[in-house]
Amino acid sequence: FSCSSSGVKPAVATGLVGTVQQQDIMKWNGWGYADSKFFFNKKGQGEFTGKRYRLSGLILPSLKDWFEGTFGANLQHKSPPSLNTSAVAPPSLNEAFVEELKSTGIPFSHDTEDRVFRAHGHCLHEIFSLRDGRVGRCPDMVVWPNCHNDVVKIVELACKHSVCLIPYGGGTSVSSALECPPEETRSIVSLDTSQMNRILWIDEKNLTAHVEAGIIGQDLERLLNESGYCTGHEPDSMEFSSLGGWVATRASGMKKNIYGNIEDLVVHIKMVTPRGVIEKSCQGPRMSTGPDIHHFILGSEGTLGVVTEVTLKIRPIPEYQKYGSVVFPNFQQGVACLREVAKQRCAPASIRLMDNEQFQFGHALKPQVSSIFTSFLDGLKKFYITKFKGFDPHHLCVATLLFEGDREKVLQHEKLVYDIAAKFGGLAAGEDNGQRGYMLTFVIAYLRDLGMEYYVIGESFETSVPWDRWVLDLCRNVKERIVRECKEKGVQFPPLSTCRVTQTYDAGACVYFYFAFNYRGLSDPVHVYEQVEHAAREEILANGGSLSHHHGVGKLRKEWMQETISSVGLGMLKSVKDYLDPNNIFGNRNLL
Amino acid sequence: KDPVLKKRDDFEDILEERRNSSDLRYAFKCYTPVLYRGLTPCKAATLKSMVLQSEQLLHVINQVSAESGESTDVVKDEAAAILEEMAHRLQLRTIRFFAYTLSKAFKALYRSVCVNEEGIQRLQQAMQEHPVVLLPSHRSYMDFLMMSYILYTYDLSLPVIAAGMDFLGMKFVGEMLRMSGAFFIRRSFGGDQLYWAVFSEYVKTMLRKGYAPIEFFLEGTRSRTCKSLTPKLGLLNIVMEPFFKGEVFDVNLVPVSMSYERVLEESLYARELLGVPKPKESTSGLLKARKILSEDYGSMHVYFSPPVSVRSLAQGRINRSQFNLTPRHVAQKPSEETQAFVNDVAYRIVRLQQENMVVKPWVLVATLLLQSVEGMELTELMEQTSWLRDLARMFGAFLDWPGTRPLNSKVVLGGPVIRRLPVHIPIRQVEGPQGPETPEEALFNRAVSVLSCASYRNQVLHVFLRPALLAMALSNANSSRKEDIYSCFDFLRNVFSDEFILSPGASVQDFDEACHLLVKCGAVELLHQDVVMAESGRTVLSFLTLLLEPFLQGYQVVCRYLREEATENLTEKQFIPAVRSFAVKLHLSGSLKCYEVLSSDLQKNALNALIRLNVVRRDGLMSNQVAIVSSIHGMLIHSAFSLEN
């Protein structure tokens, strides 16, 4: 393999796999693909556009009622975005750096659009400002290295000319990690890894694949599938997030119960730092060679260097996949069941538990039913669960399941899990509900954009927490804190504050919160939002939750790092940073 | 902040309706209280088994079993027996019985029982949202009966009440109380790990479940002097823990101020303070006491303060993540930070109780009379009472005054005030019925009168306390410089902090408050760095100094006793009778005029203060000896007291 640099900005659809510029098919001020979005049609019915998702092109009759009922929002009250791209400050370029970069032939750009696109992640405040046409400090230019060696050259030049580098993968950060530090006086260069997107080799004997770190999740999976393999790593952002980003944030995939989280998947990492290239000399499956240097890289959030190549474990594509779902009379029973499943170590590839509010939300996204028969069947199911089984529709909650493997084993496994669920009052609620649950994961981010059109803002955040009663108590306390803080901060409508358990472990679980409110009547909604989220995080920490399970720290949660890992721990990380990058070339100021 | 500006709710007499409608119908009324929203109702028996099966208790049972070598089953049985002895068996039948009988009794005893209904509404709201802890002041056995009665009347959840084991000694009555929601705890169980575990888990289970509001007396026991007592922290610690550990979102503390025009146990208290042992709680004693039903105990005021959220108090003070590293069922010794916090909360609650205590006119009358043992003219008394009323009002007292006009002679003479003044006024010596008495008897009788009278004055002490300490500091400080006066104030405050329940950390705050009040009433002026008496301030300042004079003298006598008579091996048990006879001796010889030093309450407080200030040392836990440290420190204190004289 040889790396070729053309010297021009990569064009759309050059024919090479994955070289399609994400930027050209994605929204610049919202989530995901430009062609996919929710909207209310003239009849006031919800619809989802595009062709990419199961929900695409369908009418969602209950969305409006849920939306208006939950947030007190009104379709008459629109808050359309005001576009104003001229607000971007002109780039401050480091001429010497640009000159030398030109001679390497690595493509770069200081086009405003390119710069703005890489100036943000998907935190609420970032998107909200963009919709308002407000843009803060932007990278002054963007470079597109094509391979590891390009990165080495760029880092060398950056060190030589004192330029600040910010690595950019898929841009799905929700921790303010991509925000350019406003106090940065040097020229900021966004290092976009999107062109480093090849699978370099697949080793079927050892079941490993060596991949360039810029590859986007769904491309990686698709390409491996073509050879009959998969990584099984499926974070909710996998449509857009990159392998390098996963490594840099310690990502977690939906199916980690079978495949493991990113730290379990990587066998070898190559990273370019200002001090030089760091990598191990072999690919042994486990080593006792002092503290694992991979763990300095995993979760370093772009503060130490650029991950360029990764060797990952791969698995043959599973023979059989089956979704499933279980209804529980209440959240408490549901959590108890998940705990038991974790205890018996028989968790399916994925098991998630939504609380009642999310269950209701899932219903709002049910498409129009095609026949009277299905609607009759739905009615019958509802009757059975609420009237016959006596479940209170305002308390019941749903677990969604995904099984994978040999057909026979899957069926056995399924029975085992349903038997456990039955002990906690759970009733099997069908494959369809399960599948819809997972589909929601991908479209929920689009829904925020819809909300913003109607004065509703919101976001999700996550934590991990030990089992015993912390899971329940933490969920209750955090939800209550959110409601209370909203009231105190003058939010005039009750907020949506809901949670779900998305991962189980031997010793605890990962909990995901969704929080949104109608901000009509507030002069600075984003500030209110941030205060509430801050309070919610304090509540999480006070209740024994972690600072983050997989979103990372970025700049958003930096203030709690010291209390989280102790000042000595922080000092250890700082000394690594000082050794690798004494001049703070990788100056995104995340984490530390 | 200006305490006077504090807005208080209006009162409603709950007996009025009782006088106009059937008590029986009232006892059988439909009772459907609003419940805590998180509650799944359960029976008292279910509650017990929950406690016995709790991880917390099982953990301690295993520990005790490992330490003692007993099998866990034996220890479990022990725990079950403890719980059996402790647990309440709240049932509506008994409540209805009490509702009926207490209606009759209260109507006979009291002219009115006034409750602030807004407080009740706030309480109702709070009860739905979070577990509630009711913290009434404790002056009489009536307190907890009255609390349950009021909650029943307003259709609120009935509380479970922490009561002393002594009640169980009363046949039948103890069990009745148990069935009306009392649970019984031993007065002391210092080292008993199992007992503590059962007890704390029982309380916490009820709290976490939101089973019922939990009621206990911060002061631990009835105050015999009508002054607040130093708060006990054990139970307060227990009820806050579920919040610290994230088991509940919040806990609401509701201070309740119960003010009596005349306390049922009034005459008993004065005798108890003078060393006559407290009658043992017994059913026959209770039946004998029914003669009190024919007496008039005036009116009663119950004020429910706004709920205090533990969460907001703990904001910025308690780092709850300190509990993250140990499983929640393992009991942790509270950190220093936590202890200090709980202590502050306790003092704060006591202060809130005091602030909303209703002060009656003769409390002021008694205060004035105690300052002029020789007596005074009625017109002068009236004038002074009016003056004092205005001063008290300015200092933020919660006065219940007949009418808005100044007290006139008619009110004093013909009206209810003086005739209902329920103590013998020590203006003239009251002759005992059995003719001439020994000097000791005379002294005792007079002391009973003075101490009874003092128990009225004590009800208004909290209003004047801080300015009075400042007044005293002003007359004793070396200069008029603010720092000097403050250090004198701080010293006095420190000496008297057991006597008047002053929070250890709030000296500066108290000083500022005292300055503010004295400036406001024109008694002192603040000039640059100086605090000086104003022209017109003499009356106020001398009143305030005289107010604390008996306490000062009392403490001096205690010091004198320790210096002049106490031996090396004085035990705490001997201390009180010894001081008493020392004081009696001084009295009989005519060199002491102050009666309050005869009060065992003052003697105990003085001893505690001296121990706290390292003047006196407790030697070893076993012997309970008080060794006198004749250190320079002690001399200092002594000289300070002499100075003031």
Side-chain angles (χ1 to χ4, degrees):
Chain A
F1 172 78
S2 75
C3 129
S4 66
S5 296
S6 61
V8 290
K9 181 186 155 191
V12 173
T14 50
L16 285 166
V17 177
T19 51
V20 171
Q21 272 286 299
Q22 295 279 334
Q23 187 180 336
D24 298 314
I25 54 168
M26 287 173 72
K27 296 193 191 83
W28 68 280
N29 63 353
W31 177 261
Y33 297 111
D35 57 14
S36 302
K37 64 175 211 162
F38 283 100
F39 75 105
F40 289 111
N41 63 24
K42 284 186 187 124
K43 286 190 210 152
Q45 291 167 312
E47 258 187 77
F48 192 60
T49 61
K51 293 197 184 70
R52 294 174 191 270
Y53 299 91
R54 231 178 71 151
L55 219 53
S56 299
L58 293 180
I59 299 219
L60 314 162
S62 355
L63 183 60
K64 173 175 174 259
D65 286 347
W66 174 82
F67 187 73
E68 295 191 331
T70 307
F71 297 107
N74 189 321
L75 297 196
Q76 309 305 319
H77 299 272
K78 269 194 111 172
S79 51
S82 51
L83 306 171
N84 177 17
T85 38
S86 62
V88 183
S92 116
L93 297 174
N94 181 317
E95 293 302 336
F97 174 79
V98 177
E99 277 313 303
E100 275 205 62
L101 187 67
K102 264 184 197 156
S103 69
T104 63
I106 299 170
F108 65 90
S109 152
H110 38 78
D111 197 69
T112 308
E113 204 181 309
D114 293 334
R115 290 167 52 219
V116 171
F117 192 80
R118 285 160 189 81
H120 67 87
H122 284 272
C123 283
L124 174 80
H125 66 98
E126 294 172 316
I127 300 299
F128 197 89
S129 309
L130 282 175
R131 285 174 60 91
D132 254 9
R134 281 178 285 125
V135 185
R137 176 86 154 97
C138 278
D140 299 298
M141 62 188 277
V142 183
V143 289
W144 284 271
N146 199 39
C147 62
H148 171 78
N149 287 337
D150 282 357
V151 176
V152 174
K153 283 181 217 159
I154 295 167
V155 173
E156 267 170 15
L157 289 182
C159 292
K160 184 172 165 193
H161 299 290
S162 185
V163 162
C164 172
L165 288 179
I166 296 185
Y168 181 91
T172 55
S173 141
V174 282
S175 57
S176 302
L178 287 169
E179 232 171 66
C180 297
E183 67 273 30
E184 181 60 65
T185 52
R186 298 171 295 185
S187 177
I188 299 180
V189 175
S190 177
L191 191 154
D192 185 322
T193 59
S194 63
Q195 303 312 301
M196 311 200 310
N197 55 5
R198 282 145 293 213
I199 294 179
L200 300 178
W201 48 253
I202 292 176
D203 177 347
E204 297 184 89
K205 292 233 170 54
N206 293 312
L207 286 178
T208 52
H210 192 63
V211 189
E212 286 184 312
I215 196 165
I216 298 302
Q218 59 171 331
D219 298 335
L220 173 63
E221 228 42 25
R222 196 183 60 244
L223 291 173
L224 284 175
N225 285 175
E226 284 169 11
S227 323
Y229 294 100
C230 67
T231 62
H233 185 69
E234 295 184 10
D236 290 354
S237 61
M238 70 174 290
E239 296 169 284
F240 310 108
S241 57
S242 69
L243 171 57
W246 299 340
V247 171
T249 55
R250 292 180 68 87
S252 169
M254 176 180 104
K255 299 194 287 194
K256 72 96 195 154
N257 292 336
I258 294 184
Y259 301 97
N261 287 320
I262 194 71
E263 68 273 21
D264 310 308
L265 282 165
V266 293
V267 176
H268 185 268
I269 304 173
K270 199 191 260 186
M271 178 165 82
V272 182
T273 75
R275 182 64 74 169
V277 175
I278 175 172
E279 65 178 321
K280 290 183 188 174
S281 67
C282 71
Q283 309 218 10
R286 181 181 189 274
M287 295 185 220
S288 173
T289 48
D292 191 340
I293 54 162
H294 282 173
H295 284 287
F296 288 114
I297 299 169
L298 286 155
S300 58
E301 303 193 356
T303 58
L304 303 179
V306 189
V307 177
T308 54
E309 289 169 20
V310 178
T311 307
L312 283 168
K313 296 182 198 167
I314 54 171
R315 300 288 306 164
I317 297 175
E319 179 197 315
Y320 187 63
Q321 242 196 3
K322 192 173 181 190
Y323 288 98
S325 64
V326 183
V327 188
F328 291 96
N330 56 45
F331 192 61
Q332 196 157 350
Q333 298 275 73
V335 172
C337 172
L338 259 64
R339 206 281 161 266
E340 185 60 29
V341 167
K343 195 172 181 180
Q344 297 193 19
R345 291 202 171 162
C346 63
S350 168
I351 178 166
R352 289 177 168 179
L353 181 75
M354 305 188 229
D355 69 359
N356 184 263
E357 287 90 340
Q358 264 184 54
F359 165 75
Q360 313 246 5
F361 164 62
H363 264 259
L365 288 185
K366 256 193 167 163
Q368 204 163 28
V369 283
S370 40
S371 74
I372 301 177
F373 182 68
T374 15
S375 101
F376 171 72
L377 219 60
D378 279 351
L380 211 61
K381 271 190 233 158
K382 193 176 165 195
F383 178 81
Y384 176 71
I385 289 181
T386 57
K387 295 292 182 312
F388 190 72
K389 281 288 173 182
F391 284 20
D392 180 346
H394 297 289
H395 286 124
L396 60 81
C397 71
V398 180
T400 57
L401 310 166
L402 172 61
F403 298 92
E404 253 187 39
D406 299 347
R407 195 185 147 80
E408 204 169 307
K409 275 189 191 154
V410 163
L411 295 178
Q412 266 175 10
H413 194 176
E414 193 186 17
K415 185 172 177 324
L416 178 64
V417 172
Y418 282 121
D419 284 350
I420 295 175
K423 282 185 200 145
F424 295 91
L427 290 175
E431 278 184 69
D432 191 52
N433 276 321
Q435 196 171 4
R436 200 175 43 247
Y438 287 101
M439 179 263 310
L440 285 186
T441 306
F442 293 107
V443 299
I444 200 165
Y446 287 100
L447 206 65
R448 184 171 77 182
D449 293 335
L450 176 75
M452 281 203 253
E453 308 240 323
Y454 296 98
Y455 290 97
V456 173
I457 51 175
E459 177 125 75
S460 60
F461 46 91
E462 42 75 36
T463 185
S464 58
V465 54
W467 281 115
D468 57 347
R469 295 187 29 207
W470 290 115
V471 172
L472 279 173
D473 289 340
L474 176 123
C475 291
R476 183 202 52 229
N477 288 354
V478 172
K479 284 203 253 176
E480 171 123 24
R481 177 79 181 260
I482 288 173
V483 171
R484 191 191 260 215
E485 292 285 334
C486 279
K487 210 182 203 174
E488 272 172 27
K489 303 285 180 303
V491 176
Q492 309 195 351
F493 304 86
L496 171 74
S497 147
T498 129
C499 69
R500 66 177 175 190
V501 180
T502 60
Q503 292 288 10
T504 62
Y505 292 88
D506 287 352
C510 166
V511 181
Y512 223 94
F513 292 90
Y514 290 97
F515 153 50
F517 61 86
N518 181 336
Y519 67 83
R520 258 168 48 220
L522 294 180
S523 60
D524 191 351
V526 170
H527 182 62
V528 169
Y529 171 82
E530 282 171 348
Q531 284 178 312
V532 178
E533 190 190 328
H534 189 270
R537 181 58 61 180
E538 301 251 279
E539 193 60 33
I540 286 173
L541 297 176
N543 282 274
S546 66
L547 190 54
S548 172
H549 170 264
H550 59 272
H551 281 174
V553 175
K555 288 178 273 290
L556 193 62
R557 287 175 276 273
K558 225 165 109 163
E559 63 180 292
W560 290 289
M561 269 302 270
Q562 180 164 326
E563 68 174 277
T564 300
I565 62 167
S566 82
S567 51
V568 177
L570 199 64
M572 283 168 74
L573 295 187
K574 278 194 174 135
S575 66
V576 170
K577 165 81 176 171
D578 288 346
Y579 174 76
L580 286 178
D581 184 16
N583 298 317
N584 197 27
I585 296 302
F586 288 90
N588 60 17
R589 304 196 191 221
N590 291 337
L591 201 61
L592 300 176
Chain B
K1 81 185 179 206
D2 198 329
V4 186
L5 298 176
K6 189 166 276 173
K7 171 128 178 43
R8 272 132 176 166
D9 307 334
D10 294 330
F11 285 107
E12 209 64 46
D13 177 13
I14 60 166
L15 286 189
E16 198 176 297
E17 209 197 317
R18 291 277 48 72
R19 294 191 206 279
N20 299 324
S21 67
S22 151
D23 287 334
L24 206 59
R25 194 176 303 146
Y26 164 76
F28 284 101
K29 72 170 185 164
C30 168
Y31 169 72
T32 47
V34 286
L35 299 170
Y36 172 54
R37 62 182 166 159
L39 173 73
T40 30
C42 70
K43 294 228 162 61
T46 327
L47 202 64
K48 274 193 241 176
S49 66
M50 279 170 64
V51 173
L52 289 176
Q53 280 155 23
S54 68
E55 277 181 318
Q56 284 81 346
L57 187 55
L58 290 179
H59 178 74
V60 173
I61 286 175
N62 286 333
Q63 251 180 347
V64 169
S65 144
E67 278 164 25
S68 64
E70 302 251 35
S71 80
T72 50
D73 285 340
V74 174
V75 184
K76 260 185 205 168
D77 288 347
E78 246 175 84
I82 293 173
L83 188 59
E84 197 56 38
E85 178 194 71
M86 180 184 310
H88 72 83
R89 277 201 305 277
L90 184 63
Q91 44 174 253
L92 201 55
R93 272 205 306 273
T94 322
I95 297 296
R96 293 197 190 280
F97 167 78
F98 271 116
Y100 180 76
T101 47
L102 287 179
S103 291
K104 297 286 180 215
F106 288 158
K107 281 190 282 187
L109 291 170
Y110 300 117
R111 289 161 183 247
S112 62
V113 173
C114 299
V115 178
N116 64 326
E117 288 196 341
E118 281 165 72
I120 294 282
Q121 278 157 20
R122 286 188 298 251
L123 178 61
Q124 186 182 30
Q125 189 63 35
M127 275 176 171
Q128 292 172 58
E129 284 177 7
H130 303 292
V132 163
V133 178
L134 295 166
L135 299 167
S137 57
H138 203 10
R139 303 287 173 267
S140 165
Y141 282 146
M142 250 335 136
D143 292 329
F144 58 86
L145 295 176
M146 188 53 91
M147 280 293 290
S148 298
Y149 185 82
I150 292 172
L151 295 186
Y152 174 80
T153 304
Y154 285 103
D155 225 20
L156 294 176
S157 291
L158 291 163
V160 289
I161 309 141
M165 204 67 118
D166 357 1
F167 288 106
L168 274 188
M170 300 165 83
K171 268 187 213 106
F172 183 62
V173 173
E175 290 309 310
M176 284 292 282
L177 292 176
R178 195 195 282 284
M179 286 188 282
S180 61
F183 63 95
F184 297 96
I185 42 179
R186 296 180 193 158
R187 285 255 173 237
S188 62
F189 43 89
D192 192 339
Q193 207 189 347
L194 188 64
Y195 192 90
W196 175 260
V198 173
F199 165 54
S200 69
E201 194 46 34
Y202 182 58
V203 175
K204 281 189 270 184
T205 305
M206 291 191 287
L207 187 103
R208 281 195 291 257
K209 298 272 305 174
Y211 174 84
I214 290 166
E215 175 181 324
F216 64 90
F217 298 104
L218 259 186
E219 296 162 285
T221 182
R222 291 169 299 156
S223 162
R224 269 68 167 169
T225 56
C226 284
K227 258 185 315 132
S228 300
L229 303 176
T230 306
K232 305 274 183 295
L233 306 182
L235 253 167
L236 193 60
N237 238 318
I238 291 176
V239 295
M240 287 197 198
E241 207 187 274
F243 164 71
F244 293 153
K245 293 194 171 179
E247 294 167 323
V248 294
F249 183 76
D250 199 354
V251 174
N252 275 329
L253 309 177
V254 180
V256 184
S257 315
M258 311 193 82
S259 358
Y260 294 88
E261 192 158 346
R262 181 181 167 202
V263 175
L264 287 185
E265 298 95 325
E266 178 184 90
S267 56
L268 289 179
Y269 283 163
R271 288 183 163 74
E272 241 181 81
L273 290 172
L274 291 169
V276 179
K278 146 184 160 188
K280 207 171 168 331
E281 284 81 359
S282 74
T283 309
S284 60
L286 181 78
L287 291 175
K288 275 181 211 144
R290 72 183 181 278
K291 68 166 197 293
I292 60 168
L293 286 176
S294 56
E295 284 186 44
D296 180 0
Y297 287 87
S299 61
M300 190 187 162
H301 287 84
V302 182
Y303 194 96
F304 290 84
S305 298
V308 180
S309 144
V310 175
R311 173 175 279 266
S312 11
L313 291 179
Q315 181 76 39
R317 297 246 357 225
I318 295 287
N319 176 10
R320 281 181 287 152
S321 53
Q322 66 184 295
F323 300 96
N324 290 345
L325 296 180
T326 335
R328 287 190 292 183
H329 67 268
V330 180
Q332 271 172 283
K333 203 175 172 295
S335 63
E336 257 173 53
E337 174 201 29
T338 314
Q339 279 172 349
F341 172 71
V342 175
N343 194 48
D344 283 358
V345 173
Y347 276 93
R348 194 188 184 112
I349 299 287
V350 170
R351 185 97 202 259
L352 285 169
Q353 286 175 352
Q354 290 175 341
E355 276 175 3
N356 291 323
M357 288 282 201
V358 171
V359 175
K360 307 280 157 117
W362 38 93
V363 165
L364 301 186
V365 174
T367 308
L368 290 165
L369 288 175
L370 277 174
Q371 291 197 3
S372 53
V373 195
E374 303 312 318
M376 62 171 99
E377 292 293 327
L378 194 55
T379 44
E380 196 195 341
L381 179 63
M382 280 176 348
E383 259 168 44
Q384 291 221 18
T385 309
S386 279
W387 169 82
L388 188 54
R389 178 201 57 184
D390 294 343
L391 187 68
R393 204 166 261 166
M394 200 185 290
F395 285 4
F398 192 5
L399 291 171
D400 177 43
W401 208 262
T404 47
R405 286 166 300 119
L407 196 67
N408 63 40
S409 59
K410 220 167 148 199
V411 176
V412 174
L413 282 175
V417 178
I418 215 85
R419 218 188 291 148
R420 269 170 49 197
L421 185 57
V423 287
H424 302 295
I425 306 165
I427 299 175
R428 297 273 176 272
Q429 182 98 26
V430 180
E431 290 283 329
Q434 59 279 78
E437 35 188 14
T438 66
E440 282 86 358
E441 277 168 4
L443 176 65
F444 181 84
N445 286 335
R446 194 166 165 78
V448 168
S449 304
V450 173
L451 289 186
S452 301
C453 206
S455 79
Y456 285 82
R457 174 210 56 201
N458 287 347
Q459 294 173 30
V460 78
L461 271 183
H462 66 270
V463 173
F464 296 115
L465 175 63
R466 288 160 182 85
L469 287 172
L470 180 57
M472 229 180 206
L474 275 171
S475 58
N476 286 300
N478 299 327
S479 76
S480 63
R481 290 198 25 240
K482 204 171 174 180
E483 301 95 86
D484 285 337
I485 290 169
Y486 173 75
S487 72
C488 192
F489 174 88
D490 186 45
F491 169 76
L492 287 166
R493 195 183 170 281
N494 214 349
V495 170
F496 287 124
S497 70
D498 293 273
E499 195 71 47
F500 304 124
I501 319 305
L502 292 156
S503 162
S507 193
V508 177
Q509 245 168 286
D510 284 350
F511 182 72
D512 289 344
E513 190 188 319
C515 286
H516 170 78
L517 290 175
L518 285 187
V519 169
K520 195 168 105 175
C521 72
V524 301
E525 284 164 8
L526 296 180
L527 305 167
H528 306 291
Q529 288 307 302
D530 289 357
V531 182
V532 293
M533 188 166 83
E535 279 299 303
S536 53
R538 192 168 302 279
T539 340
V540 173
L541 292 181
S542 79
F543 162 77
L544 290 174
T545 329
L546 276 175
L547 189 65
L548 296 189
E549 185 63 28
F551 297 97
L552 195 61
Q553 280 194 27
Y555 278 48
Q556 280 168 342
V557 170
V558 172
C559 288
R560 265 184 71 189
Y561 162 75
L562 286 172
R563 223 168 47 164
E564 291 169 19
E565 294 218 339
T567 53
E568 270 297 304
N569 301 323
L570 180 69
T571 68
E572 248 179 298
K573 241 195 182 128
Q574 296 161 351
F575 171 77
I576 287 184
V579 176
R580 190 182 300 125
S581 46
F582 179 72
V584 167
K585 207 171 69 192
L586 291 181
H587 253 287
L588 294 177
S589 73
S591 63
L592 182 65
K593 289 273 180 287
C594 164
Y595 290 89
E596 282 175 60
V597 67
L598 295 169
S599 156
S600 59
D601 183 65
L602 182 140
Q603 293 154 0
K604 275 182 222 159
N605 288 334
L607 181 63
N608 283 338
L610 294 173
I611 291 172
R612 189 165 34 79
L613 296 169
N614 278 330
V615 182
V616 167
R617 174 161 43 83
R618 228 185 220 118
D619 264 350
L621 282 171
M622 303 302 288
S623 61
N624 261 348
Q625 279 175 347
V626 176
I628 293 124
V629 185
S630 50
S631 62
I632 303 171
H633 202 106
M635 300 301 288
L636 265 178
I637 290 205
H638 216 89
S639 57
F641 274 116
S642 321
L643 241 177
E644 281 147 19
N645 225 359

